[in-house]
Amino acid sequence: DDILATSNANLLPFSNRTLTGSTNFLNGFWNEMYRAINNANALLEAIEPVKMDAAYKTRIKGELYFLRGFAYF
């Protein structure tokens, strides 16, 4: 089955089954995901000393944990 037929050069390795670990599209994707993980970790660390409403801080931290987990997925 062909799951993807496209003329987009970035997605062509998916449709012609030549996808490798060095595909530029995947390298860029993984770099962005790990950048998001790093940013979430930095914000989780930086938010601890900030004085703000506890419920709001808990919500922000929960959103950061979600985004970090989503990037890992």
Side-chain angles (χ1 to χ4, degrees):
D1 279 44
D2 285 337
I3 61 168
L4 181 62
T6 182
S7 60
N8 184 330
N10 288 330
L11 299 177
L12 199 55
F14 287 99
S15 64
N16 66 12
R17 296 177 182 90
T18 59
L19 192 63
T20 67
S22 63
T23 302
N24 287 337
F25 174 76
L26 287 180
N27 286 336
F29 175 77
W30 288 117
N31 287 339
E32 290 304 315
M33 291 300 103
Y34 278 100
R35 182 173 299 156
I37 292 165
N38 186 49
N39 288 340
N41 286 336
L43 288 169
L44 283 165
E45 185 177 322
I47 199 170
E48 281 306 319
V50 175
K51 293 181 192 224
M52 65 172 64
D53 178 61
Y56 183 66
K57 184 186 273 191
T58 300
R59 184 181 127 207
I60 296 296
K61 287 171 62 176
E63 291 175 7
L64 288 168
Y65 285 126
F66 170 80
L67 290 171
R68 183 178 70 180
F70 186 75
Y72 270 120
F73 179 70

